[in-house]
Amino acid sequence: MHHFNYRNGQLFAEDAAVVAIAEAVGTPVYIYSAATLTRHYQVFARAVGAPKHRVFYAMKANSNQAVLGTLARLGAGADTVSEGEIRRALAAGIPADRIVFSGVGKSAEELAFAVDTGIYQVNIETESELDLLSAIAHARGKRQSAVIRVNPDVGAGGHAKITTGSSANKFGVSFDEASRIYARAANMPGVKMLGLATHIGSLIMDLGDLEAAFIRMRDLTLRLRGEGLTVERLDLGGGLGIPYEIPETFEHGPDLIEAYAAMIERTLGSLDVEHGFEPGRLIAGNAGILVTKVLQVNPRAHTTFLIVDAAMNDLIRPAMYEAYHEIWSVRQATASAPRKTYDVAGPVCESGDTFATARPLPETHIGDLLAFMTAGAYGATMSSTYNTRLLVPEVLVNGAEFAIVRPRTTFNDLIGLDRVPRWLR
Ligand code: LLP
């Protein structure tokens, strides 16, 4: 379910006409729907039993403070992976006691910042990180709440580049090592070892993979408890997928969420532990679109290229993961309008800057606006300034109202960051 629909032949974001936003802000532009973010968060939180269990929105998916602020008001916490994300979450009004810090390579400075901030939990990924965290917290007279991320050797997800739970991946301590490290951690002065974490991949549509991982977590929990150790938290990560190809029928999503919640109850319900969840894509994916303008129509022998003003630096998912994004015309085509097959590409100087190949679309002309759907997650957060292109502005819609929540950067912002060394002046 999302709130991007046609009305009177025009695409609307909630009650705001996309064309009006594009006119006011220019293109390309990311447009987010507050109602969609809210709905996704609420459906998920209710299904998994918040607030007893905790939802830490994986802010790497979309970390705009307006998005975080919308979710913070609903009670969301944040799953963070850098000092920058912790600072951003705090700035957006997510309190420290709702922040978890994950990530396979945390620096001493970042761990110290997390301890000083008093965050809810550090997810430890290696034994050396455990030693470092304990030393840092102990030196400050503190004990940092922590869980150990275990690699259950169940890889899953929509693409090899986003699979994390296989033993071939860099994430988490191995299953065999987990008991020994956990027992050591339980006696360390600077950590309060509370449980386990896992996250096996992203864009997972098959609950069987998650279930296999969670069964391993359950078995490990029972083993640790059998050794007299305390396990009171299980952070189950994120990764639940959303359908990119059929956003109109997103009602599939809530069904998947219900089935996910039931599977968790079935596999872990008897343990009496607090569950933590780190959904990212599920909350933000369908809550955002990237609107772009057609710059050129270039008919070639085998296809017609639509060259648009958005590029791979603005939305890298197609180039990086061969990801599919639906493309909708902002002005709705009539049922009888001719359809043609297009390759849709950006202006960046490499062939990888292609959003879609052989895509049937209503006949499209220079100046038309197109929307890449399901661009709310891993869109703006993965953007760059490659080709010295300005970062795309972000707009949040709330009913008929909209606000620019990140303006387009200026050339001065961008070029002015360089410093010319003395010998070139
Ligand atoms: N927790 C941890 C520890 C993670 O590494 C991730 C995502 C999440 C939670 C959230 O996963 P989600 O619920 O969003 O699937 N850039 C890629 C996705 C990378 C995911 C990285 N980790 C893409 O555009 O598909």
Side-chain angles (χ1 to χ4, degrees):
M1 233 292 286
H2 60 67
H3 294 75
F4 299 98
N5 296 299
Y6 288 109
R7 280 188 208 166
N8 308 323
Q10 283 291 338
L11 185 60
F12 273 68
E14 302 188 21
D15 300 323
V18 166
V19 67
I21 297 173
E23 264 164 27
V25 186
T27 57
V29 55
Y30 274 103
I31 302 178
Y32 309 134
S33 154
T36 311
L37 288 166
T38 300
R39 179 182 152 81
H40 290 176
Y41 180 79
Q42 287 179 333
V43 167
F44 186 84
R46 205 173 299 136
V48 300
K52 177 169 172 262
H53 298 299
R54 289 171 175 256
V55 182
F56 306 100
Y57 164 63
M59 60 184 280
K60 61 170 78 73
N62 186 325
S63 58
N64 189 287
Q65 289 180 61
V67 169
L68 297 180
T70 302
L71 298 173
R73 288 183 175 202
L74 305 172
D79 166 43
T80 65
V81 290
S82 66
E83 178 172 337
E85 283 198 347
I86 298 174
R87 288 180 181 273
R88 208 176 246 271
L90 293 169
I94 298 181
D97 63 6
R98 282 199 246 145
I99 294 177
V100 304
F101 186 19
S102 327
V104 70
K106 309 179 192 75
S107 70
E109 291 74 19
E110 288 182 308
L111 288 170
F113 179 76
V115 170
D116 290 341
T117 305
I119 67 164
Y120 185 67
Q121 165 182 309
V122 173
N123 293 11
I124 290 167
E125 300 232 10
T126 55
E127 191 166 10
S128 47
E129 181 176 84
L130 174 66
D131 291 325
L132 184 60
L133 175 64
S134 181
I136 287 169
H138 187 55
R140 290 166 155 74
K142 289 193 173 183
R143 285 184 86 192
Q144 174 63 50
S145 297
V147 298
I148 291 189
R149 177 167 176 184
V150 175
N151 186 319
D153 199 10
V154 180
H159 191 275
K161 285 185 185 159
I162 55 175
T163 296
T164 53
S166 136
S167 57
N169 301 135
K170 65 184 174 183
F171 302 92
V173 307
S174 79
F175 222 78
D176 301 336
E177 289 272 85
S179 301
R180 182 185 62 75
I181 298 176
Y182 198 98
R184 258 197 79 210
N187 293 313
M188 284 188 164
V191 294
K192 188 163 180 223
M193 191 43 55
L194 291 169
L196 303 167
T198 196
H199 171 81
I200 62 170
S202 194
L203 194 48
I204 300 171
M205 305 304 282
D206 180 355
L207 292 179
D209 293 330
L210 288 164
E211 183 163 5
F214 295 167
I215 287 172
R216 298 208 78 186
M217 299 297 279
R218 180 187 63 201
D219 295 348
L220 182 57
T221 300
L222 294 173
R223 192 183 338 150
L224 293 170
R225 284 180 174 173
E227 290 166 16
L229 297 160
T230 302
V231 180
E232 56 189 64
R233 291 184 192 169
L234 287 185
D235 181 333
L236 303 174
L240 205 53
I242 57 173
Y244 276 80
E245 310 215 359
I246 40 166
E248 309 99 292
T249 56
F250 186 61
E251 282 309 336
H252 175 57
D255 293 348
L256 190 66
I257 293 170
E258 293 303 331
Y260 173 75
M263 178 272 283
I264 287 168
E265 183 52 36
R266 190 165 71 235
T267 48
L268 304 173
S270 62
L271 290 179
D272 188 29
V273 284
E274 176 187 292
H275 301 158
F277 297 91
E278 303 171 352
R281 188 190 315 269
L282 185 91
I283 306 294
N286 273 308
I289 62 175
L290 172 62
V291 176
T292 187
K293 189 164 70 187
V294 176
L295 297 178
Q296 311 295 343
V297 179
N298 185 2
R300 299 281 284 272
H302 66 292
T303 187
T304 298
F305 284 99
L306 295 180
I307 307 294
V308 297
D309 66 358
M312 63 190 287
N313 67 297
D314 305 315
L315 176 65
I316 203 171
R317 302 194 66 261
M320 190 147 174
Y321 316 110
E322 289 84 38
Y324 177 97
H325 286 263
E326 293 250 327
I327 301 176
W328 290 11
S329 311
V330 169
R331 190 157 46 79
Q332 188 175 25
T334 56
S336 60
R339 289 178 84 77
K340 286 185 66 172
T341 300
Y342 293 104
D343 282 18
V344 182
V348 161
C349 329
E350 40 187 298
S351 301
D353 184 22
T354 299
F355 292 108
T357 47
R359 185 70 65 89
L361 290 172
E363 185 160 15
T364 301
H365 304 99
I366 290 177
D368 286 353
L369 297 178
L370 300 175
F372 294 107
M373 307 305 290
T374 322
Y378 307 111
T381 48
M382 293 184 78
S383 61
S384 76
T385 58
Y386 186 39
N387 279 211
T388 305
R389 288 168 51 86
L390 301 176
L391 290 178
V392 172
E394 298 171 85
V395 165
L396 181 66
V397 173
N398 180 30
E401 235 185 318
F402 71 86
I404 298 174
V405 296
R406 185 181 75 189
R408 198 180 304 281
T409 49
T410 67
F411 289 114
N412 231 357
D413 297 335
L414 195 53
I415 301 166
L417 278 175
D418 294 350
R419 292 292 175 272
V420 178
R422 186 184 43 76
W423 64 87
L424 288 179
R425 268 184 230 140

